[in-house]
């Protein structure tokens, strides 16, 4: 099987011919890409001052000494790459065959609660060059079952590894949230803490971006966005491609081995009453001559817990999610927190 056959048909022309037609693109600007060093937080000895500055000024930081076993991270990358290298048609049927809550998606990171791609409005950018697996951690079965022994073995290994990885990352997310809450002087009861960040909402998305080159123009692997989560935790390979918006400019964030990238989402921005920021970011494919692989964990508030802020109308995450999905389906893009400012009407 040719490697391109593992990608969706819409990706193959770009890979083979470098033709960006039909893919999301960046407006062409004659600006040299710049690298930037994001703040570094040592998880073994959290410095509250560095954490506060990272959350307030950046909305993103690098986490070292995180405690996730490196062999686990390596094994998870290896087996997820193997599954993502299956023929496209096989991947579409992969999880249905074992009655799994996991799902395969491609062309957009905008998914509904079931992990299916949202139908986007006519104003949407075209296909994003990304595919992956959506894994709702709390819904993972005790085991997978499949008639094909080889496929069953690989899927079962993937389930076991992603479940173990999820336990480590959830522990990190909870600890970071509690530390961030302290920097905001939020004294939270256990009920309030689980209202703002509910562990059972955690999900993991495994992403693969096809290789590109200069002939593919400025095609995007993932369009400009902020995360809807409280906290997102990214593990990426050495390929690079992640860019963040800082002081109205785009900067490349270079990969650093054995570290994680933590970014704050919209919910943390609302919880902090805009003291902390949800960072705008994207994945840019220019000069990505090898495929990019990443694993990202997202965690959210309890769905019916009311988030109150002086900058936004009171809302629940369920209402926020419904509004985001309505905007994506009607306008082709997420509006996000702007929909919940006092002066903004809702357009559900």
């Amino acid at each position: 099987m040719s490697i391109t056959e593992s990608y969706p048909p819409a990706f193959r022309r770009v890979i083979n011919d470098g033709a960006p037609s039909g893919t999301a693109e960046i407006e062409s600007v004659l600006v040299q890409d710049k690298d930037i060093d994001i703040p570094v937080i040592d998880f073994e000895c959290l410095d509250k001052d560095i954490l506060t500055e990272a959350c307030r000024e950046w909305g993103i930081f690098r986490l070292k000494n995180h405690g996730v076993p490196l062999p686990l991270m390596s094994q998870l990358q290896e087996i997820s790459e193997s599954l993502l290298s299956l023929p496209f048609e096989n991947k579409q049927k992969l999880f249905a065959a074992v009655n799994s809550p996991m799902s395969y998606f491609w062309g957009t990171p905008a998914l509904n609660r079931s992990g299916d791609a949202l139908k986007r409005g006519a104003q949407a950018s075209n296909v994003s060059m990304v595919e992956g697996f959506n894994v709702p951690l709390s819904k993972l079965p005790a085991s997978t079952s499949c008639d094909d022994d080889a496929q069953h073995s690989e899927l079962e290994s993937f389930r076991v590894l992603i479940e173990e990885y999820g336990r480590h990352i959830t522990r990190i997310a909870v600890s970071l949230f509690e530390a961030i809450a302290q920097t905001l002087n939020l004294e939270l009861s256990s009920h309030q803490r689980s209202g703002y960040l509910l562990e059972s909402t955690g999900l993991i998305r495994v992403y693969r971006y096809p290789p590109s080159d200069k002939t593919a123009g400025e095609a995007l692997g993932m369009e400009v966005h902020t995360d809807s989560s409280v906290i997102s935790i990214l593990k990426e390979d050495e390929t690079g491609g992640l860019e963040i918006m800082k002081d109205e400019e785009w900067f490349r964030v270079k990969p650093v081995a054995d570290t994680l990238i933590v970014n704050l989402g919209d919910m943390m921005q609302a919880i902090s009453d805009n003291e902390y920021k949800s960072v705008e970011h994207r994945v840019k494919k220019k000069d990505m001559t090898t495929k990019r692989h990443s694993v990202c964990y997202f965690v959210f508030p309890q769905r019916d817990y009311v988030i109150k802020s002086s900058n936004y109308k009171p809302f629940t995450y369920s209402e926020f999610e419904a509004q985001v999905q309505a905007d994506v389906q009607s306008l082709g893009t997420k509006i996000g927190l702007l929909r919940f400012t006092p002066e903004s009407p809702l357009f559900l």
Side-chain angles (χ1 to χ4, degrees):
M1 180 189 75
S2 164
I3 184 63
T4 57
E5 291 178 23
S6 73
Y7 290 105
F11 294 7
R12 296 173 193 171
R13 183 174 66 256
V14 179
I15 297 169
N16 292 329
D17 305 329
S21 176
T23 59
E25 296 181 62
I26 308 170
E27 290 184 14
S28 181
V29 226
L30 296 175
V31 177
Q32 185 66 36
D33 292 334
K34 302 176 185 177
D35 296 330
I36 199 166
D37 293 321
I38 60 177
V40 178
I41 301 292
D42 188 335
F43 192 60
E44 288 185 347
C45 49
L46 281 173
D47 185 306
K48 298 295 174 59
D49 291 334
I50 298 176
L51 182 62
T52 300
E53 181 182 6
C55 293
R56 180 181 291 127
E57 301 298 329
W58 294 78
I60 189 170
F61 53 87
R62 190 176 300 283
L63 196 67
K64 67 177 184 179
N65 296 324
H66 45 72
V68 182
L70 299 183
L72 171 63
M73 297 169 72
S74 177
Q75 290 165 12
L76 179 59
Q77 176 170 332
E78 182 179 340
I79 198 162
S80 55
E81 283 186 342
S82 176
L83 288 171
L84 283 164
S85 295
L86 291 171
F88 172 63
E89 292 74 15
N90 291 26
K91 286 182 291 192
Q92 290 184 300
K93 305 170 186 174
L94 187 63
F95 298 115
V98 293
N99 195 28
S100 171
M102 296 184 280
S103 59
Y104 169 71
F105 64 89
W106 66 274
T108 175
L111 311 179
N112 62 22
R113 289 186 67 199
S114 300
D116 299 321
L118 290 173
K119 185 177 181 181
R120 309 182 73 192
Q123 299 177 48
S125 300
N126 289 321
V127 175
S128 292
M129 298 286 285
V130 63
E131 62 173 341
F133 300 137
N134 183 71
V135 183
L137 291 171
S138 66
K139 296 180 182 178
L140 285 179
S143 65
T144 55
S145 59
C146 181
D147 294 334
D148 185 314
D149 289 340
Q151 181 170 287
H152 169 254
S153 176
E154 198 162 36
L155 279 176
E156 179 61 11
S157 296
F158 177 73
R159 183 198 64 80
V160 170
L161 290 169
I162 203 94
E163 192 170 50
E164 183 182 353
Y165 182 77
R167 284 194 293 268
H168 285 284
I169 294 294
T170 300
R171 166 184 56 82
I172 292 170
V174 170
S175 296
L176 285 175
F177 178 77
E178 290 174 348
I180 291 170
Q182 288 177 17
T183 68
L184 292 165
N185 296 316
L186 293 177
E187 297 183 6
L188 303 177
S189 66
S190 58
H191 172 71
Q192 289 172 314
R193 203 279 288 164
S194 62
Y196 282 144
L197 184 146
L198 187 63
E199 295 169 46
S200 63
T201 66
L203 62 86
I204 290 176
R205 288 183 183 155
V206 178
Y207 299 105
R208 184 175 76 152
Y209 304 81
S212 184
D213 57 34
K214 292 181 180 179
T215 64
E218 298 288 305
L220 282 172
M222 193 176 292
E223 64 192 13
V224 178
H225 68 287
T226 59
D227 291 345
S228 295
S229 58
V230 180
I231 289 174
S232 305
I233 302 178
L234 175 73
K235 186 266 176 192
E236 60 175 353
D237 65 12
E238 68 283 355
T239 304
L242 175 66
E243 297 193 343
I244 63 167
M245 175 69 78
K246 172 70 173 166
D247 300 326
E248 306 302 319
E249 286 189 77
W250 285 105
F251 293 91
R252 290 181 303 212
V253 179
K254 285 199 168 182
V256 175
D258 305 335
T259 65
L260 299 169
I261 293 177
V262 179
N263 70 270
L264 307 185
D266 300 336
M267 296 303 97
M268 183 63 83
Q269 180 169 321
I271 291 166
S272 72
D273 209 5
N274 281 8
E275 186 169 342
Y276 295 162
K277 63 188 293 184
S278 178
V279 66
E280 280 191 294
H281 54 288
R282 68 188 184 189
V283 175
K284 187 177 173 185
K285 283 177 47 58
K286 184 179 180 182
D287 299 332
M288 196 188 292
T289 54
T290 60
K291 62 183 181 296
R292 168 185 165 90
H293 177 275
S294 63
V295 179
C296 196
Y297 168 87
F298 306 88
V299 66
F300 305 89
Q302 184 177 318
R303 294 188 59 77
D304 59 357
Y305 190 80
V306 178
I307 296 174
K308 297 178 181 178
S309 162
S310 65
N311 287 285
Y312 305 104
K313 304 169 187 175
F315 66 89
T316 64
Y317 182 71
S318 180
E319 292 169 334
F320 182 86
E321 179 186 60
Q323 184 63 56
V324 167
Q325 293 188 4
D327 285 333
V328 168
Q329 291 174 314
S330 61
L331 304 176
T333 191
K334 168 185 168 181
I335 305 300
L337 285 172
L338 289 176
R339 284 289 196 219
F340 294 86
T341 56
E343 62 275 10
S344 175
L346 296 183
F347 291 92
L348 282 176

